[in-house]
Amino acid sequence: MSQATTRAANPAADRFGFLDDFAVREIRRGLLKALAIPGYQVPYASREMPVARGFGTGGMQITLAIALPGDVLKVIDQGADDSVNAVALRRFITAACPELATTTSTAEATLIQTRHRTPERPLTARQLMVYQVPYPDPLQIVEPSEAKRRRMHAYGDYARLWVKLYEDVVRWHEVALSNRYPARVHGRYVIDPSPIPRWDLPKLHRSRAMHLFGAGREKKLYAVPPFTDVVPLAFDDVPFQVERFCDAAGRRHRCQTCGTDDTYLDEIPLPDGTRRWLCNDQDRCAERMSHGR
Amino acid sequence: MVADRPVLAVRGLSRIHGPACPSCRDLTGDAAGTNVCPRCGSVVAVADVAFDLWPGEILGIMGESGSGKSSVIRLIHLDDQVTAGSAVFREHDGTEHELATTGEETARRLRDTRFGMVHQNPHLGLNYLVSAGGNIAERLLCSGERSFQAIRDRALGLLTRTEIPPGRIDHQPRQFSGGMQQRLQIARALAPRPELLLLDEVTTGLDLSVQARILDLILEIQRELGVAMLVVTHDLGVVRLLAGRTLVMRHGRVVESGLTDQILEDPQHPYTQQLVMSAL
């Protein structure tokens, strides 16, 4: 709690981080518990933020509670650093934390708040990922009652989630979940990894970085500590697959800006009826361009 | 089937809903003609029920509505908390579980892998949001099966076994007739190869020809798999056909027990006599 002490000693730092000391302490404690029990959803008292719940308040509260002067912040909204959402969040966080530097470069960032993407560039041990989560509970698609869901988690009862996978394989010959794909963390709790695409899920497996998840509206925190197993739920004989981005002939689309074929692509329909494929992760695309591919 | 130990040994099993006073047992039951304690108002749903169920045996529990027969099944299936007494379930490998004191973790494992429950109303036993195959898959997934093909094969096998056309595996249960839904429930209950099958009024409300086919199916399953069954019914015909031994319950107590033929031919208790008379 060095930050809390600094604040007490230095009234000028009172405004750092927007949240009051009690909120900071509660969120940090919640995060410690979440890290100690990987994948377990820790309830917390989500504070009122200057934006409506459901607009990334969970991620914001984590960022504000753990940001320290000297941190380098990157805010991503679906791979973009310059969308309205990302810009507004970045502006608010820097206003609340004056000594925080910002960047759009994944490599330089120490603290990355994100909505719906994990950066393509492999993360390092000094980086913290903060995810904005709309629905923290993977069981929500099969059980509406939270009380029952908590019991199901407690007893590791994920059979009905598996039945959903079974039904998908029967109907579509693969699992019909493009994002929020459930994954088992550390061999125990199954998490909803927030609406990151399937493409990003393998990046969480034994990641060097720490991944923190905050659901402001649902008032839950959870975490994937560094070097932790994150295994997507899949049948032994129907393996988990990421997005393929192939044309009808089975050729992988390339980003039309940087030309690479190993990133998650956005499909952009053009007025003439054709389509363009572009990297979703802007920073990765720009990095490739500046290095001459 | 040679067996020296029962699958299920029940002694003094009781379930009292309410505050329960010391005189609950004495003031209720067959002699008192009620199962509500006049002193404290508690409902003595089940009291002092004792029986053994042997491997491969079908034991009938007969009685009027409110007699506590379904409550017994609920206690065995660990859906309800035992107030007093003991019920020891013995697995194939010899492991014994005291059902009266078992924890939730064990209870879930037993329900998922060792017990099969078939309800009177298929809506209680089936998940109508998923397909017929999904209903069977759920039980297999509960017991740890993780191969899609194995689940598929087993589900098809069970549907064939229960006379549901395998082509309907991906249909929703609500698209099935009542008898098919009941057979699907049986298929679902049998999926993890349970050691104890609990059947609660499985044929009630079905027409006679469908009843006959389901009873045939139950007998065949017993012959093929040797699974022990508790059959709860108010229908004399069902116990006559299925059960070798029968308990007759009234006001939460067992009022008569013995070989089914003996009970039906020579009923001792006035209630049983009335029951047998009215059926003829």
Side-chain angles (χ1 to χ4, degrees):
Chain A
M1 290 297 136
S2 63
Q3 188 187 319
T5 352
T6 341
R7 293 173 175 208
N10 177 10
D14 258 3
R15 302 293 298 165
F16 188 92
F18 183 81
L19 297 169
D20 61 87
D21 283 359
F22 294 109
V24 169
R25 194 173 303 164
E26 193 212 353
I27 293 167
R28 288 184 174 188
R29 276 186 183 154
L31 290 173
L32 287 176
K33 180 168 179 181
L35 287 162
I37 318 172
Y40 174 73
Q41 298 168 50
V42 183
Y44 81 113
S46 179
R47 298 307 196 276
E48 285 294 343
M49 301 301 283
V51 292
R53 293 207 162 125
F55 283 72
T57 52
M60 257 163 91
Q61 288 176 69
I62 294 183
T63 302
L64 294 170
I66 63 174
L68 294 173
D71 266 331
V72 184
L73 174 77
K74 174 178 162 75
V75 180
I76 328 172
D77 175 14
Q78 306 209 21
D81 294 278
D82 56 3
S83 74
V84 174
N85 209 327
V87 170
L89 280 178
R90 188 184 304 118
R91 200 176 286 163
F92 172 71
I93 295 168
T94 44
C97 310
E99 286 140 289
L100 211 59
T102 63
T103 181
T104 58
S105 155
T106 305
E108 287 169 18
T110 58
L111 183 58
I112 304 175
Q113 180 172 334
T114 178
R115 170 171 176 264
H116 304 5
R117 277 311 305 275
T118 307
E120 301 281 3
R121 180 182 236 279
L123 300 167
T124 64
R126 55 180 196 91
Q127 291 180 312
L128 285 167
M129 289 292 306
V130 177
Y131 294 81
Q132 302 167 202
V133 181
Y135 303 105
D137 200 330
L139 290 171
Q140 201 197 28
I141 52 173
V142 292
E143 173 57 60
S145 150
E146 162 145 20
K148 283 187 192 160
R149 289 200 300 261
R150 287 178 72 91
R151 288 180 73 81
M152 288 164 79
H153 278 293
Y155 291 106
D157 175 9
Y158 296 113
R160 276 155 69 191
L161 206 50
W162 281 96
V163 171
K164 148 86 180 137
L165 303 191
Y166 165 89
E167 295 274 303
D168 278 1
V169 176
V170 165
R171 205 171 303 169
W172 315 107
H173 303 292
E174 66 174 318
V175 177
L177 291 168
S178 62
N179 54 40
R180 295 181 63 198
Y181 194 99
R184 191 179 282 262
V185 179
H186 195 53
R188 178 61 180 86
Y189 288 101
V190 171
I191 61 161
D192 181 328
S194 87
I196 56 172
R198 286 202 252 179
W199 179 267
D200 286 344
L201 194 49
K203 294 178 193 158
L204 301 189
H205 182 58
R206 300 194 186 163
S207 166
R208 291 173 166 271
M210 191 183 279
H211 300 264
L212 306 172
F213 298 81
R217 186 184 49 198
E218 307 289 327
K219 304 186 178 68
K220 293 283 162 54
L221 301 169
Y222 53 105
V224 176
F227 304 103
T228 304
D229 285 349
V230 177
V231 182
L233 294 193
F235 291 107
D236 297 343
D237 46 356
V238 186
F240 170 77
Q241 289 179 322
V242 297
E243 291 80 354
R244 292 181 286 277
F245 303 110
C246 291
D247 59 18
R251 282 185 308 264
R252 173 67 148 83
H253 289 292
R254 286 171 178 275
C255 169
Q256 290 185 3
T257 308
C258 69
T260 54
D261 65 353
D262 61 350
T263 60
Y264 185 83
L265 298 177
D266 279 336
E267 180 183 0
I268 299 164
L270 298 172
D272 63 2
T274 59
R275 282 154 203 284
R276 274 174 65 190
W277 299 81
L278 296 173
C279 280
N280 175 268
D281 186 340
Q282 280 183 358
D283 171 58
R284 185 60 163 176
C285 200
E287 197 183 41
R288 288 275 167 81
M289 291 295 284
S290 67
H291 285 75
R293 291 165 203 184
Chain B
M1 184 158 294
V2 185
D4 54 348
R5 305 282 288 276
V7 181
L8 190 63
V10 175
R11 296 291 177 271
L13 193 70
S14 304
R15 174 67 173 115
I16 300 173
H17 300 275
C21 64
S23 40
C24 272
R25 274 153 209 273
D26 304 329
L27 300 177
T28 60
D30 188 40
T34 176
N35 60 1
V36 181
C37 173
R39 192 155 298 164
C40 65
S42 302
V43 175
V44 183
V46 177
D48 304 321
V49 167
F51 62 86
D52 285 332
L53 180 68
W54 297 86
E57 186 187 15
I58 300 183
L59 178 68
I61 303 181
M62 202 164 64
E64 61 191 358
S65 77
S67 62
K69 55 195 193 305
S70 290
S71 294
V72 170
I73 292 253
R74 283 172 51 77
L75 292 173
I76 304 291
H77 196 243
L78 300 161
D79 290 336
D80 196 4
Q81 198 66 46
V82 174
T83 305
S86 118
V88 177
F89 170 70
R90 189 178 151 86
E91 289 188 57
H92 263 318
D93 63 10
T95 322
E96 291 188 348
H97 300 277
E98 173 51 77
L99 302 181
T101 55
T102 184
E104 178 70 15
E105 187 93 43
T106 318
R108 279 179 178 250
R109 192 181 67 78
L110 290 176
R111 272 195 299 253
D112 288 346
T113 64
R114 297 290 181 263
F115 296 165
M117 176 76 148
V118 183
H119 298 269
Q120 172 180 358
N121 187 339
H123 279 261
L124 294 173
L126 293 178
N127 181 350
Y128 281 74
L129 301 174
V130 301
S131 65
N135 269 288
I136 298 173
E138 184 173 350
R139 293 271 289 167
L140 295 169
L141 289 161
C142 273
S143 47
E145 179 61 62
R146 291 290 180 265
S147 155
F148 179 76
Q149 199 54 50
I151 290 169
R152 201 75 184 151
D153 293 344
R154 178 104 177 99
L156 285 169
L158 283 162
L159 291 181
T160 313
R161 185 70 208 77
T162 48
E163 295 171 30
I164 297 170
R168 304 202 60 177
I169 182 168
D170 298 330
H171 290 199
Q172 304 282 313
R174 65 167 177 275
Q175 296 171 290
F176 287 6
S177 71
M180 273 169 84
Q181 290 183 14
Q182 203 58 291
R183 277 176 281 145
L184 177 59
Q185 227 199 138
I186 296 174
R188 178 185 153 101
L190 289 175
R193 302 177 205 283
E195 294 167 18
L196 175 61
L197 204 53
L198 307 167
L199 306 172
D200 191 358
E201 303 268 18
V202 278
T203 55
T204 309
L206 299 174
D207 71 61
L208 286 176
S209 62
V210 177
Q211 276 192 26
R213 282 170 71 190
I214 287 181
L215 295 177
D216 275 351
L217 175 65
I218 292 169
L219 275 179
E220 284 168 26
I221 287 165
Q222 184 226 6
R223 256 200 315 276
E224 281 172 31
L225 309 177
V227 51
M229 301 188 203
L230 271 181
V231 178
V232 161
T233 182
H234 65 255
D235 186 336
L236 287 181
V238 172
V239 287
R240 189 197 296 276
L241 191 68
L242 294 183
R245 288 189 305 137
T246 298
L247 310 177
V248 182
M249 287 188 71
R250 200 179 190 208
H251 300 307
R253 317 293 161 113
V254 175
V255 293
E256 190 163 356
S257 67
L259 297 174
T260 306
D261 290 344
Q262 204 170 4
I263 287 179
L264 295 184
E265 295 306 324
D266 182 21
Q268 300 297 306
H269 190 275
Y271 169 68
T272 323
Q273 288 168 356
Q274 191 189 1
L275 203 66
V276 174
M277 287 293 285
S278 60
L280 299 173

